[in-house]
Amino acid sequence: MSTTLTNTSRETDAAGAPKLRGSLGVASIVFIVVAAASPLGVIGGPVPLGIANGNGTGFPFTYLVVTGVLLLFAVGFTTATPLVTAAGAFFAYVAKGLGRSAGLGAAFAALLSYLALEAGVFGLFGTGVGELLQSYGLPELPWWLYAAAGFAVVSALGYFNINLSGKVLGVLLVAEVAIVVVLDAVVVAQGGGPEGFSTGIVTPAEIVSGAPGFAILFAILSFVGFEATAVFRDEAREPERTIPRATYIALVLIGVFYAFSSWVLITANGDSVVVERAAENSGTILTTTTEAYLGALGGHIIQVLFVTSLFACILSFHNIASRYFFALASKGVLARGLGTVHPRHGSPSRSSAATSITVAVLVALAAVLGLDPIDQFYTWLGGISSVGVVLLLVLTSIAVLVLLRTERARVGLWKASVAPALGLAGLVAFFIVILFNLPVLVGESSYGPFSWGILVLFALAFAAGPVVARVRAPRDID
């Protein structure tokens, strides 16, 4: 329920920590987390890579597999929501189920993952804006100048109440999904592509062809952000109902959209040539396909919306990372000033500033060092995020099983044990796939300094948990 406060008043939780204010409903939270998944960015990025380097025309089925596993995870995650009253998503669940030290380790790992992804996507955004403007005859400029412009807007939006970001993301999300839906509809209405409708999604031989493990890797990356629904607990209306509903809706929408649209992309090109085309032109196949079916205007619209999709992704992760900073500060883990709620906007304004500063440093380092914005900056930081998010999903699943072990009589065996256990098994398998393919993901032929460096970073993050728990003696974080 929304609350109107004066400039000098504030809300606090049961432990006396300040609470954020907002009135997010199911739709607003869905917009935020689906925008973080960047639907158009996925169809134009991971999907062609999954087709080219994964299991070819069987790739759309991979999305159905990943969606199924994540829905099993969501059963336990949402069932445990009433037992976890603190905002903070992953680390609140891990702390409640596995203890404060594990929870703090998870918090540091989550913060590392989301900050890395926000910064890394600026590499894609800056390059995308540059290419878009050059297509209209403007001169070439360094990618980081465009990134800086986007950074300024994101930082400004992060300062205000979350409802403003929710509205902006809603508009951008509807636009980017609409153009893909139009493309899908035209291809289907025409009876498919030059070879009719693709059959790879229902052909077992195609589904297991090529490198299905690599396909799973790209499919998992496409879902990063969905789990952040619980981060906005304090800013949601009726969180015990809103958070579960938003989680299920976001998962189903993302999964169905990715599976269907990737199948249409394959159909539009033809089963016999799509793998070759995706391998040769992974970055442009969505644009060229759109131009073939919707004309030059459709191609231009796709280019523009691809950039706005990346902006929406950045803004979503900025809001998520800011709330991790805020949650840790309000519990005494980080400097308490970061846990201050803006008296007028009810936003984590100082935590948002801390997020902006951290991301600015990372982007500036990339510019000074002359890193390639995509092949190095985005790829390396994307590798950090992929490892971190799936690892956190695994830990959260374990914590949920612990939390619900005494709730079986109330919620039923399926919700308390069976579904969470099946989800955990699937997530562990996904994590093994990511570890196996991590060198390829970060551009190494085998485990080298970057692959090992990512693993060391997370080892340090989790090792810091018990140390900080002892030194800082924060309030209970569950």
Side-chain angles (χ1 to χ4, degrees):
M1 181 175 65
S2 61
T3 304
T4 303
L5 300 176
T6 65
N7 286 354
T8 57
S9 62
R10 68 176 188 174
E11 280 190 86
T12 59
D13 60 20
K19 290 179 64 177
L20 300 173
R21 303 196 307 274
S23 57
L24 296 176
V26 173
S28 295
I29 296 177
V30 168
F31 281 142
I32 292 172
V33 299
V34 175
S38 186
L40 183 57
V42 166
I43 301 303
V47 166
L49 292 174
I51 293 170
N53 302 300
N55 51 352
T57 60
F59 183 62
F61 185 82
T62 309
Y63 278 121
L64 299 180
V65 173
V66 174
T67 301
V69 170
L70 294 179
L71 283 172
L72 289 170
F73 163 82
V75 171
F77 184 69
T78 57
T79 301
T81 296
L83 305 176
V84 184
T85 57
F90 284 142
F91 86 80
Y93 284 76
V94 175
K96 186 76 172 182
L98 304 180
R100 186 172 59 179
S101 294
L104 286 173
F108 297 140
L111 195 54
L112 173 63
S113 300
Y114 291 127
L115 287 170
L117 195 56
E118 180 187 346
V121 176
F122 270 114
L124 293 176
F125 176 78
T127 303
V129 174
E131 292 176 349
L132 175 64
L133 295 180
Q134 287 173 50
S135 71
Y136 289 102
L138 274 71
E140 181 179 357
L141 294 174
W143 67 271
W144 50 265
L145 286 176
Y146 300 119
F151 169 84
V153 178
V154 168
S155 298
L157 288 172
Y159 181 81
F160 295 102
N161 188 277
I162 187 64
N163 293 325
L164 177 59
S165 290
K167 292 175 182 177
V168 172
L169 291 172
V171 172
L172 297 180
L173 180 63
V174 169
E176 66 177 280
V177 169
I179 185 64
V180 178
V181 170
V182 170
L183 174 62
D184 292 349
V186 170
V187 173
V188 172
Q190 291 184 4
E195 302 173 23
F197 293 111
S198 172
T199 59
I201 191 173
V202 293
T203 305
E206 294 297 326
I207 292 169
V208 299
S209 67
F214 210 65
I216 287 175
L217 171 63
F218 284 109
I220 295 169
L221 288 175
S222 304
F223 283 85
V224 173
F226 90 90
E227 74 292 335
T229 50
V231 171
F232 303 99
R233 181 183 181 89
D234 285 350
E235 297 155 284
R237 296 194 300 265
E238 301 181 88
E240 292 186 4
R241 297 178 60 189
T242 303
I243 299 304
R245 289 180 181 178
T247 302
Y248 282 120
I249 291 173
L251 265 179
V252 172
L253 286 178
I254 293 171
V256 171
F257 180 81
Y258 289 162
F260 184 74
S261 296
S262 60
W263 172 76
V264 170
L265 184 65
I266 293 169
T267 291
N269 285 273
D271 282 359
S272 65
V273 299
V274 69
V275 174
E276 180 181 356
R277 289 181 181 177
E280 293 178 352
N281 305 290
S282 61
T284 59
I285 187 172
L286 176 60
T287 300
T288 56
T289 301
T290 304
E291 289 176 345
Y293 287 87
L294 301 182
L297 178 60
H300 287 301
I301 292 173
I302 277 284
Q303 283 184 295
V304 172
L305 292 180
F306 180 74
V307 171
T308 62
S309 174
L310 295 174
F311 175 83
C313 177
I314 292 169
L315 178 57
S316 294
F317 281 112
H318 180 88
N319 282 314
I320 294 168
S322 298
R323 278 145 187 82
Y324 268 95
F325 267 123
F326 175 84
L328 288 170
S330 64
K331 302 299 183 183
V333 179
L334 301 178
R336 293 199 182 276
L338 295 177
T340 301
V341 178
H342 193 283
R344 179 179 178 186
H345 303 301
S347 64
S349 53
R350 294 185 181 180
S351 289
S352 177
T355 301
S356 295
I357 291 170
T358 305
V359 170
V361 169
L362 292 173
V363 174
L365 282 174
V368 171
L369 296 174
L371 299 181
D372 183 274
I374 298 176
D375 292 339
Q376 293 176 314
F377 187 52
Y378 170 73
T379 298
W380 295 345
L381 295 186
I384 291 174
S385 181
S386 63
V387 171
V389 170
V390 178
L391 176 58
L392 290 163
L393 284 169
V394 169
L395 289 175
T396 303
S397 294
I398 297 172
V400 164
L401 282 167
V402 173
L403 281 171
L404 296 178
R405 71 186 186 280
T406 60
E407 302 291 322
R408 293 172 187 167
R410 181 177 65 84
V411 302
L413 186 63
W414 168 255
K415 291 183 177 181
S417 300
V418 178
L422 291 174
L424 173 60
L427 289 168
V428 169
F430 292 166
F431 187 61
I432 292 172
V433 167
I434 285 181
L435 292 181
F436 184 78
N437 291 284
L438 182 59
V440 178
L441 183 63
V442 298
E444 295 180 324
S445 58
S446 61
Y447 264 86
F450 298 111
S451 301
W452 284 115
I454 289 172
L455 299 184
V456 169
L457 278 175
F458 283 105
L460 292 174
F462 280 102
V467 174
V468 174
R470 181 182 297 271
V471 174
R472 295 288 292 180
R475 298 184 183 98
D476 290 338
I477 61 174
D478 55 0

